[in-house]
Amino acid sequence: MNTIVVKNYDEMAKKGAEILYQDISSNPKITLGLATGGTQIGVYTHLRKLHENTPLDLKDITTFNLDEYIGLAPESDNSYHFYMNKYFFQPMGISKKQTYLPNGLAEDIAEECKRYEKLIVEHGGIDIQVLGVGSNGHIGFNEPKTSFHCRTHEVNLAESTIQANARYFDSIEDVPKKAISMGIETIMEAKKIILFASGSKKAKAIYQLLRTDEIDADWPVTILKTHPNVTIVVDEAAYNSDDNNQHLNLENSRTIF
């Protein structure tokens, strides 16, 4: 596990964009697994700037998103379809035919989950999976106590996740209570995983990931310890808690300040 610690959110976003830029540049037919949320906005913004300065060949890349709310239309400004079009697909000039997201309006959610899994397999799996992490340790929308062996599935969102996402909606009552998410086993099959974390609210999850060898279903993010190719890009606020400073073993990590 390679850990990169930077000063603040903007530095995290810049470093993340540089890593993604290099990965895409080295494999023009790459399949990206993409995440949404506030943490990723800066990463995608800086990636666009790098692309504008020295354009990438994007005509053959493919993208799969981690998740989508159930019940939101793609054109809803709180859907992840809308988010991806705004922050990634349109600014990067990526055709919609190259992109895949779960259909949150599917009549049969179970069948939609199977369809999405099949599409990932048909495209040869995910080369690079981008992840954020929730304050409760969720990855994708895989909440605490989710089976490490689950595939793409319907999720009942934890109250803490609903509270965290309420800032994007007019009221907390408007936040969807369910979502479709890639499962943990699906995520772990990616050839490489890059996790971004910023801010003190993520410190406990980062502590759980880095402090010991324990794999704990109460903290889904800890399963990443078992993946052979993980890079964590984290700012000081998420990294520097008293517990982290006392317990982190950085023998296999790289730290940048």
Side-chain angles (χ1 to χ4, degrees):
M1 192 176 293
N2 180 31
T3 305
I4 301 172
V5 184
V6 296
K7 288 288 185 183
N8 52 41
Y9 173 80
D10 193 56
E11 290 300 314
M12 181 215 70
K14 288 178 180 177
K15 175 57 65 175
E18 289 169 4
I19 293 170
L20 284 174
Y21 184 93
Q22 290 301 320
D23 285 334
I24 297 169
S25 179
S26 65
N27 182 6
K29 294 186 178 181
I30 198 168
T31 297
L32 296 174
L34 298 176
T36 54
T39 301
Q40 314 304 332
I41 291 174
V43 177
Y44 296 153
T45 298
H46 283 292
L47 180 59
R48 183 188 73 235
K49 292 176 181 177
L50 292 172
H51 175 56
E52 288 172 349
N53 290 333
T54 307
L56 292 160
D57 180 1
L58 300 175
K59 68 179 184 302
D60 292 321
I61 76 164
T62 304
T63 72
F64 284 90
N65 264 73
L66 277 170
D67 40 37
E68 178 58 285
Y69 288 118
I70 291 175
L72 289 190
E75 59 271 18
S76 167
D77 58 8
N78 285 312
S79 76
Y80 292 146
H81 283 75
F82 186 93
Y83 173 109
M84 291 307 302
N85 285 329
K86 179 178 180 180
Y87 293 111
F88 195 84
F89 301 149
Q90 290 180 2
M92 297 289 288
I94 298 172
S95 168
K96 285 189 177 181
K97 67 182 181 181
Q98 298 170 250
T99 70
Y100 298 90
L101 293 91
N103 178 10
L105 294 181
E107 292 185 8
D108 188 327
I109 297 297
E111 284 301 315
E112 173 60 14
C113 293
K114 292 177 183 177
R115 182 192 74 87
Y116 203 64
E117 279 284 330
K118 184 179 178 182
L119 282 169
I120 294 171
V121 172
E122 288 174 350
H123 283 80
I126 306 295
D127 293 311
I128 308 289
Q129 178 63 62
V130 174
L131 290 179
V133 60
S135 60
N136 66 358
H138 73 242
I139 51 176
F141 270 136
N142 295 290
E143 301 285 11
K145 299 189 183 301
T146 299
S147 169
F148 290 142
H149 301 292
C150 66
R151 313 295 299 189
T152 299
H153 61 133
E154 179 177 347
V155 177
N156 293 312
L157 300 180
E159 184 61 31
S160 60
T161 301
I162 293 170
Q163 292 281 350
N165 290 346
R167 66 187 186 275
Y168 301 116
F169 293 80
D170 291 336
S171 70
I172 194 167
E173 288 75 21
D174 294 330
V175 183
K177 306 303 187 290
K178 295 184 177 184
I180 297 172
S181 179
M182 279 190 201
I184 294 174
E185 191 165 86
T186 311
I187 291 168
M188 291 294 288
E189 287 176 354
K191 297 178 181 69
K192 176 180 178 180
I193 294 173
I194 308 172
L195 182 139
F196 301 110
S198 173
S200 60
K201 291 182 179 179
K202 306 299 176 69
K204 197 167 185 179
I206 294 302
Y207 165 63
Q208 294 292 332
L209 174 60
L210 297 176
R211 67 182 173 90
T212 70
D213 293 332
E214 183 180 0
I215 312 300
D216 186 354
D218 285 338
W219 293 91
V221 70
T222 60
I223 193 63
L224 298 185
K225 300 174 202 240
T226 67
H227 194 283
N229 190 0
V230 176
T231 295
I232 302 167
V233 186
V234 60
D235 69 9
E236 290 182 0
Y239 179 82
N240 287 334
S241 71
D242 290 340
D243 287 335
N244 280 354
N245 289 331
Q246 290 172 21
H247 296 291
L248 282 178
N249 179 354
L250 297 178
E251 181 179 350
N252 296 315
S253 299
R254 174 163 55 93
T255 305
I256 299 174
F257 290 103

